[in-house]
Amino acid sequence: MSFEIHVNEQTHATAPRPGQCLRTYLRERGWFGVKKGCDAGDCGACTVHVDGEPVHSCLYPAVRAAGRAVTTVEGLAPGGELHPVQQRFLDAQGFQCGFCTAGYLMTTVALDDEQRADLPRAFKGNLCRCTGYRAIEDAVRGVKHVEEPCAGEAVGRNLPAPAGPQVVTGTARYTFDIDVPGLLHMKLLRSPHAHARITAIDTAAALRVPGVRLVLTHEDAPERHYSSARHEHPTEDPDDTRLLDDTVRYVGQRVAAVVADSEAAAEEGCRRIEVSYEVLPSVLDPEEAMLPGAPVLHVKDAARARIARPENNVVGEVHGEIGSVEEGFAQADVVYEETFRTQRVQHASLETHGAVAWFEPMADDGSAGERIVVRSSTQTPFLTRRALCALFDLPLEKVRVLAGRVGGGFGGKQEMIVEDVVVLAALRLRRPVKLEYTRAEQFHGATTRHPFTVHVKAGARRDGALTALRLRVVANTGAYGNHGPAVMFHSVGESMAVYRAPHKKADGYSVYTNAVPAGAFRGYGLGQVVFAMESVMDELAHRLGIDPLEFRERNIIGPGEVMASPGGEEEDLHIASYGLDQCLAIVREARDEPAEAAPEGWLTGEGGALAMIATGPPGGHIADVRARLLPDGRYDLAVGTAEFGNGTTTVHRQIAAGELATTVDRITVRQSDTDVVRHDTGAFASTGTVVAGKATLYASRALTAKILDFAARHLSVDRADCALADDAVTHGRGSLPLKEVHEAARSAGVELAADGHFGGTPRSVAFNAQWFRLAVDPGTGEIRVLRSVHAADAGKVMNPMQCRGQVEGGIAQALGATLFEHVRLDARGEVTTAAFRQYRLPQYADVPRTEVHFMETADTIGPLGAKSMSESPFNPVAPAFANALRNATGIRFTELPLTRDRVWLALDRRARAGHGGETEAERTGSRSGSQNPARRSRQAGMCDSRTW
């Protein structure tokens, strides 16, 4: 019986494999616009039309499509002209990384008028991790944001992302959107134990599975230890990881790798591996892990691995004091202390971790031998290449690492999680090898945000001046210390430095446990501590009878002041522009406007928080950019940094276009490939604009000078009379087209190209403030956001539309972490929320529209006055929400997430106890919220600024 599926007006006659879903069937035939995001019908990235009806193709059996017409995003515009919905997504720039966009387009095209009127319901089956959904709504509604390019006037305008047409047509190529001949597939066997020693491993049965080509165990792995974290300076991270280890330290750690002709064969091979374990004691709580007698996770070669105190499972620690906090507390009229806890959060980028490796000749004739090429979903191609070369003793020229378009990162892809084992297999087999994580593997085998326990003690005088701040921070880094010390160190930096206090003390511990490893996550530790610090600021203000906003204004650092943190002064960090006062003014203005109506009987409250963040990491962050004039009079920009929705490609073109007096469409960008430029540290730590952008600025200016110098000599005119125009060099007697300038330079043996370099130092700081007005149903714990306002000091905003999208996306992600996202572990340490339907991400209906305001500042360090704005919007959201909830309910919530049941239980306990407005700590008589006993009489008569 014949089999036919009609896809985008093409007929495919190959029958699907038994049980094959439509998604994999389509992708195997080159329809790469169909994305894999969840494997379970939860995210909508694989949405296609079958006979005009939208379906999640990961759940739709391919055999059911027999005789039917299937349309993918590539088929929306068969004649080459964009479908109206595709055009609207372009006009609104309704995407960032774009991995979800095809699914949204296919869903939107199928909506009728009634469905378009109820987008929260219409988009229940689609997820976006980047945008915060406003841009998607604007696209559906036909709102146009993009502007037309204008020569020499690019910076500060809403110019579109260069990859936009490819994103909306499904032709943008992500990591696995390629066809590699002879590709083999890898699957991983993972540990069922939190802590165990492998005593025996038998692979014979696995090797007998038809199609299995290779099984790798710890016996095949290099002995060298390394860190999966990627930093410019590798010594920042402990070398505690082995590619495949004979000791496993968390449930889900990889034990063996099977490579086969198909994924099915590789999976069957994993099932047939027999492993014997000696189960060892385990520990999941970081406080318990530091106690004497606790199971020790890493002891061998601890000094070489740079582990601070292996016997106590402390991978890194910081201790510092400015002044004397005890003296500061003695001077205070009010002393408040409390312990705050934040949970594990998954990055949940829709494109999972993965890599494919193959071999290519180093010279066209093959005379120089082969090199290995690694295509990876990574934020750090150059650092990953360096790590692979060190691990396998390969020279740099023998390894090429590149990234296609990356489907979201948020710090999670600042790791080498898959590339090492893929390269090991490829080197053994001399064949192309692919490893693509499932969504479950993202939860079991990737990294999370660090769970924190933060104890804060703070004191202030009656006049509102802070006298002392003390922090004790314990970060649970999980089984391996990738990013652990750096995240812990960063967490006690700007969070304390933003406030003036003569006495400060910080004690921080990054602690090993037998849990899934934590890593880099948006905010890099600041969000966890800012949640605690900003909650405490509100509580001090309440106890002093001072408006919380005014209390902050009295204590925040000012322009030109030294940023003092007990973790150590960072000499290259400066307040190179100051907009925090403007941020707080925006909050005040919003707060003073009439309140929105709330349902009858609901409690209402408002609250805000602020945050400061360095625009880059300490110790240097390198970017090299090369700009050159092309024979056709256009320009080429070679930039090492990766694009994953952060928008750096757009900004780099804008900076270059402004310097070269041209339009952005005349500049092509090559990026994320170790063949492109000498070195680039990577797209993390908010550096895409302020580091790589500055290198772009330098390269563009140098190229401008080189073109004008040559043109003046060639034309025998005064250099001062020459200027660049859109496509020519103008001079006193007329103009010379750039094509002719290039030809003349080529004939003269002159290359019109220039390099730009920036080492990431000195650094500036960016400021953000978030404010909410909430309504709370005391009968159910339901919370509604009545109004959300965000003020951002990003310096000179390169692209307002794009920067607003970064802010909105950061707020949406932070709201998820505030309200419901939680990677949960059972008593054995196994992740129990390994799918999106157990781990709830913010959906369209969950995210309020936030009013985003940009401050009027210009930074003296950043390129053309710009500062970073990718991580920082995340940090003040949770405390602002908690402060608004405190204002509404009278209860100080100290643990995230603020789930509906947690809120209802606290309200119910208070109602049953008959209390009106005390915090839980006050009600239970704990030390939290206590006044300084020496000053108690002076505080008599003062009460909370809000009574119930």
Side-chain angles (χ1 to χ4, degrees):
M1 180 178 179
S2 63
F3 179 92
E4 288 185 347
I5 298 179
H6 308 289
V7 183
N8 300 331
E9 301 182 353
Q10 296 182 22
T11 299
H12 296 279
T14 303
R17 296 187 300 276
Q20 185 175 25
C21 71
L22 182 59
R23 182 194 69 205
T24 59
Y25 183 90
L26 294 170
R27 287 186 59 82
E28 287 175 1
R29 280 141 192 85
W31 302 111
F32 293 128
V34 184
K35 301 303 182 192
K36 171 187 174 180
C38 67
D39 312 302
D42 295 330
C43 75
C46 68
T47 302
V48 301
H49 292 175
V50 178
D51 288 342
E53 291 295 320
V55 301
H56 287 180
S57 60
C58 68
L59 299 180
Y60 194 94
V63 69
R64 287 184 56 192
R68 299 177 183 270
V70 177
T71 305
T72 73
V73 67
E74 294 98 328
L76 288 183
E81 184 175 345
L82 293 181
H83 187 282
V85 171
Q86 291 173 311
Q87 187 63 54
R88 289 202 293 270
F89 269 75
L90 265 186
D91 291 342
Q93 193 155 315
F95 56 87
Q96 283 182 28
C97 84
F99 200 79
C100 70
T101 304
Y104 270 100
L105 284 163
M106 300 309 294
T107 300
T108 302
V109 166
L111 298 180
D112 58 29
D113 290 342
E114 182 179 352
Q115 291 168 322
R116 277 192 293 272
D118 189 4
L119 291 182
R121 179 177 293 276
F123 285 147
K124 282 186 70 174
N126 293 80
L127 292 172
C128 175
R129 190 55 158 169
C130 297
T131 65
Y133 297 105
R134 183 215 41 91
I136 293 173
E137 178 183 350
D138 286 352
V140 175
R141 305 295 186 207
V143 179
K144 183 174 181 178
H145 293 300
V146 301
E147 302 177 52
E148 296 300 320
C150 181
E153 298 180 9
V155 170
R157 303 185 66 210
N158 295 328
L159 299 183
Q166 290 75 44
V167 169
V168 302
T169 57
T171 56
R173 291 294 175 249
Y174 295 81
T175 306
F176 296 113
D177 297 342
I178 55 171
D179 182 17
V180 181
L183 186 64
L184 300 175
H185 301 268
M186 176 183 286
K187 286 294 180 179
L188 299 175
L189 176 67
R190 298 184 178 276
S191 168
H193 303 295
H195 198 192
R197 185 175 295 110
I198 297 172
T199 57
I201 185 164
D202 187 347
T203 63
L207 288 168
R208 289 195 295 267
V209 173
V212 169
R213 303 299 183 109
L214 177 70
V215 179
L216 296 169
T217 71
H218 64 87
E219 296 176 350
D220 304 291
E223 289 291 338
R224 181 178 286 115
H225 284 70
Y226 57 95
S227 173
S228 67
R230 302 269 55 85
H231 281 112
E232 180 62 38
H233 305 289
T235 55
E236 294 182 15
D237 308 299
D239 291 334
D240 58 6
T241 301
R242 190 177 169 210
L243 194 154
L244 290 167
D245 208 332
D246 58 357
T247 299
V248 292
R249 297 174 175 88
Y250 67 96
V251 176
Q253 180 168 332
R254 60 194 187 193
V255 170
V258 178
V259 184
D261 294 339
S262 67
E263 289 190 2
E267 288 173 349
E268 180 61 23
C270 287
R271 284 190 285 269
R272 297 198 185 186
I273 297 174
E274 297 180 7
V275 186
S276 299
Y277 297 93
E278 176 193 350
V279 178
L280 302 173
S282 61
V283 60
L284 295 176
D285 183 272
E287 295 284 1
E288 294 178 6
M290 288 191 286
L291 296 176
V296 176
L297 272 68
H298 297 272
V299 65
K300 184 179 180 182
D301 296 328
R304 179 201 52 78
R306 297 180 301 280
I307 300 172
R309 285 190 287 126
E311 69 278 8
N312 299 115
N313 292 310
V314 175
V315 60
E317 58 189 326
V318 61
H319 305 282
E321 186 169 12
I322 298 171
S324 168
V325 290
E326 292 309 316
E327 181 180 334
F329 291 131
Q331 296 169 357
D333 293 303
V334 170
V335 174
Y336 176 81
E337 65 179 310
E338 183 59 271
T339 299
F340 297 83
R341 292 177 174 84
T342 63
Q343 78 282 28
R344 284 180 186 81
V345 177
Q346 237 284 330
H347 304 82
S349 51
L350 289 191
E351 182 189 40
T352 61
H353 283 81
V356 55
W358 68 90
F359 293 88
E360 68 178 10
M362 295 184 65
D364 292 340
D365 59 3
S367 59
E370 288 185 319
R371 65 173 173 176
I372 191 165
V373 180
V374 183
R375 182 179 173 96
S376 170
S377 184
T378 178
Q379 297 173 228
T380 58
F382 286 83
L383 300 188
T384 298
R385 178 181 68 164
R386 188 169 67 187
L388 290 171
C389 289
L391 181 58
F392 296 107
D393 293 318
L394 296 170
L396 287 176
E397 64 269 17
K398 286 287 190 178
V399 179
R400 176 188 176 196
V401 177
L402 68 151
R405 189 171 178 88
V406 177
F410 318 113
K413 294 173 182 176
Q414 192 191 339
E415 306 270 355
M416 186 174 70
I417 290 180
V418 295
E419 298 89 345
D420 50 358
V421 69
V422 169
V423 168
L424 175 62
L427 289 172
R428 287 291 186 91
L429 294 167
R430 311 301 295 185
R431 289 276 304 276
V433 177
K434 167 191 172 182
L435 171 60
E436 182 179 11
Y437 271 14
T438 64
R439 180 55 56 187
E441 285 182 298
Q442 284 292 108
F443 285 96
H444 289 296
T447 61
T448 72
R449 188 190 193 209
H450 284 76
F452 266 57
T453 300
V454 184
H455 187 84
V456 186
K457 184 176 182 180
R461 296 197 306 263
R462 180 190 298 273
D463 62 3
L466 287 169
T467 62
L469 290 173
R470 188 176 73 190
L471 281 179
R472 183 181 184 272
V473 171
V474 177
N476 186 341
T477 198
Y480 293 91
N482 46 303
H483 295 284
V487 165
M488 178 270 301
F489 182 88
H490 187 236
S491 73
V492 300
E494 295 96 284
S495 61
M496 298 190 80
V498 72
Y499 285 107
R500 290 190 303 266
H503 308 284
K504 297 179 181 179
K505 184 178 182 181
D507 295 287
Y509 306 87
S510 183
V511 185
Y512 287 125
T513 64
N514 294 110
V516 59
F521 189 99
R522 200 173 201 162
Y524 212 67
L526 272 182
Q528 295 94 312
V529 175
V530 168
F531 167 61
M533 186 71 76
E534 289 297 295
S535 297
V536 167
M537 291 300 131
D538 255 40
E539 289 300 331
L540 279 176
H542 291 321
R543 282 154 178 73
L544 289 166
I546 300 174
D547 174 79
L549 181 57
E550 183 181 341
F551 180 76
R552 287 174 171 82
E553 290 171 333
R554 295 183 191 183
N555 288 287
I556 55 174
I557 193 171
E561 295 187 34
V562 175
M563 290 173 282
S565 170
E569 184 178 340
E570 300 177 52
E571 295 182 356
D572 72 330
L573 192 60
H574 309 278
I575 302 177
S577 63
Y578 187 81
L580 184 53
D581 53 348
Q582 297 179 47
C583 291
L584 296 182
I586 291 292
V587 169
R588 184 180 298 278
E589 180 181 340
R591 189 190 64 177
D592 292 345
E593 291 175 357
E596 297 75 16
E600 185 177 354
W602 288 41
L603 310 173
T604 60
E606 59 193 37
L610 60 86
M612 177 177 75
I613 190 171
T615 59
H621 191 107
I622 295 171
D624 290 287
V625 172
R626 186 168 179 82
R628 62 190 177 102
L629 180 65
L630 297 174
D632 63 358
R634 298 163 65 89
Y635 297 95
D636 174 80
L637 200 63
V639 185
T641 189
E643 174 63 61
F644 53 95
N646 47 355
T648 54
T649 312
T650 313
V651 168
H652 295 157
R653 287 211 310 177
Q654 289 181 265
I655 291 172
E659 294 299 314
L660 296 166
T662 189
T663 54
V664 292
D665 57 314
R666 293 179 58 83
I667 299 174
T668 59
V669 180
R670 292 179 296 127
Q671 61 191 146
S672 310
D673 187 334
T674 56
D675 272 8
V676 171
V677 293
R678 295 186 306 276
H679 182 74
D680 187 281
T681 299
F684 63 89
S686 306
T687 56
T689 294
V690 297
V691 177
K694 196 152 186 174
T696 296
L697 177 67
Y698 290 158
S700 303
R701 284 180 176 172
L703 179 58
T704 298
K706 200 165 188 177
I707 292 172
L708 295 180
D709 286 344
F710 174 79
R713 292 195 306 271
H714 175 69
L715 296 166
S716 299
V717 298
D718 192 335
R719 166 69 164 76
D721 291 336
C722 295
L724 271 180
D726 186 20
D727 58 358
V729 173
T730 63
H731 53 91
R733 299 194 302 269
S735 64
L736 182 66
L738 287 174
K739 290 188 290 186
E740 296 183 23
V741 173
H742 185 278
E743 176 60 26
R746 187 192 62 80
S747 299
V750 176
E751 184 184 14
L752 293 179
D755 297 320
H757 170 87
F758 186 56
T761 183
R763 301 173 296 147
S764 185
V765 291
F767 300 100
N768 295 75
Q770 173 71 41
W771 178 85
F772 288 106
R773 183 175 287 126
L774 306 176
V776 184
D777 183 354
T780 65
E782 179 184 350
I783 305 172
R784 294 185 188 176
V785 177
L786 301 179
R787 191 176 180 192
S788 173
V789 176
H790 192 96
D793 173 22
K796 172 65 177 176
V797 179
M798 300 283 100
N799 187 311
M801 166 189 67
Q802 183 174 273
C803 193
R804 184 181 67 182
Q806 288 289 306
V807 172
E808 292 169 338
I811 294 168
Q813 195 173 40
L815 278 171
T818 300
L819 292 172
F820 33 74
E821 290 187 48
H822 190 178
V823 177
R824 297 182 183 274
L825 309 183
D826 63 17
R828 297 173 47 253
E830 182 174 3
V831 174
T832 62
T833 50
F836 283 155
R837 60 188 58 194
Q838 285 93 37
Y839 180 85
R840 183 185 167 193
L841 288 179
Q843 295 179 297
Y844 182 98
D846 296 317
V847 181
R849 178 166 288 209
T850 295
E851 304 162 32
V852 178
H853 302 264
F854 293 116
M855 305 304 98
E856 296 182 3
T857 62
D859 203 66
T860 59
I861 293 176
L864 304 176
K867 296 197 282 193
S868 62
M869 196 47 59
S870 56
E871 294 182 89
S872 55
F874 188 104
N875 296 328
V877 170
F881 201 99
N883 287 338
L885 189 58
R886 158 71 163 90
N887 188 242
T889 64
I891 300 171
R892 169 56 61 191
F893 290 87
T894 61
E895 186 172 352
L896 296 180
L898 300 172
T899 55
R900 181 170 171 173
D901 58 340
R902 180 171 286 166
V903 172
W904 179 82
L905 285 170
L907 287 167
D908 183 64
R909 283 195 299 267
R910 189 189 63 180
R912 286 189 286 106
H915 286 74
E918 301 98 325
T919 66
E920 293 228 274
E922 291 170 327
R923 188 165 50 76
T924 58
S926 73
R927 292 181 61 203
S928 301
S930 64
Q931 298 168 3
N932 187 338
R935 303 281 181 157
R936 184 171 296 148
S937 61
R938 294 174 55 183
Q939 182 68 11
M942 292 189 177
C943 63
D944 193 344
S945 59
R946 182 138 181 133
T947 57
W948 296 89

